[in-house]
Amino acid sequence: MTDTTDRPSTEQNGSPGTATMLKGPTGAGTSPETRGKTTIADGVVTKIAGTAAREVPGIHNLGAGMTRAFGAVRERVPGADTGGVGRGVKVEVGERQAALDIDVVVEYGYPIVDVAAEVRVNVISAVERMTGLEVVEVNLVIDDVNLPDDEDDTEPAEGRVQ
C-alpha cells in the first residue's frame, strides 16, 4: 500500500510550488518498485489536465481572455517559454486528492453541457490514471465561444524576415 504525504512548498501560501509525495514501504523485505518516495508537483497535474481538456472535441482553447492574449504574445517571441499546455488550468493538490479549475473556450455549434461533461470525464480519468490522486472536482468556466469567423485566433501573418 502506498502512503501519500504533502511536501511543504518552498514558496509561501500554497503557491504552485506545492507537490505531493507518494511514499511506499521501506526495508529489505519490500519489493524494489515501492522503496522510496515519488513526488508529483502541481505543475505536472496542471499539464496533464490541460492536455486532457484540449483532447476533447469542441474545445477551441483554454484560458480566460487576457490569459490567452498574453499567451499568444509570449508564443510569438523567439526563445520564450511557451508553457501553453497549462494555460487556463488551476490545481489544488492535497495529500490524496486534487481539485481543478479550468477556463475553456468552446467551438460554436457544440453543446456546451456535453462538452463540459466530456472534459470532466477526460481530465479526471487522465489525472487519476497518471498520478494516483483522487480528483474530487473539476470546475469549468466557459469563458467564450469561438465563432467560425473570429479573427483573434487565426494564424499569424508571415513575417517580413525569413
Side-chain angles (χ1 to χ4, degrees):
M1 178 158 175
T2 303
D3 295 330
T4 307
T5 57
D6 207 26
R7 177 177 58 94
S9 172
T10 55
E11 303 171 44
Q12 294 181 357
N13 299 330
S15 61
T18 303
T20 299
M21 293 188 331
L22 303 175
K23 181 180 176 184
T26 58
T30 61
S31 61
E33 65 271 7
T34 62
R35 295 182 198 173
K37 299 176 187 173
T38 301
T39 303
I40 302 170
D42 287 4
V44 172
V45 177
T46 300
K47 285 182 178 182
I48 293 168
T51 302
R54 289 176 200 283
E55 291 174 349
V56 174
I59 294 296
H60 175 72
N61 208 343
L62 300 185
M66 289 304 291
T67 304
R68 289 193 323 270
F70 286 130
V73 170
R74 194 177 322 121
E75 288 172 0
R76 290 188 177 115
V77 175
D81 178 26
T82 55
V85 175
R87 182 184 326 137
V89 180
K90 296 175 196 83
V91 301
E92 203 175 307
V93 180
E95 290 184 19
R96 292 184 175 91
Q97 299 176 328
L100 297 93
D101 297 321
I102 306 175
D103 292 329
V104 299
V105 178
V106 176
E107 289 284 351
Y108 177 79
Y110 284 84
I112 293 175
V113 173
D114 295 345
V115 171
E118 200 169 334
V119 167
R120 283 189 181 92
V121 168
N122 211 35
V123 167
I124 290 170
S125 172
V127 171
E128 288 183 346
R129 178 176 42 83
M130 294 180 72
T131 66
L133 295 168
E134 175 191 3
V135 177
V136 293
E137 65 182 10
V138 175
N139 298 313
L140 296 175
V141 174
I142 310 304
D143 187 59
D144 200 358
V145 173
N146 184 60
L147 300 175
D149 59 347
D150 276 355
E151 295 180 17
D152 61 333
D153 290 328
T154 59
E155 291 294 317
E158 196 169 312
R160 296 185 300 175
V161 180
Q162 295 185 12

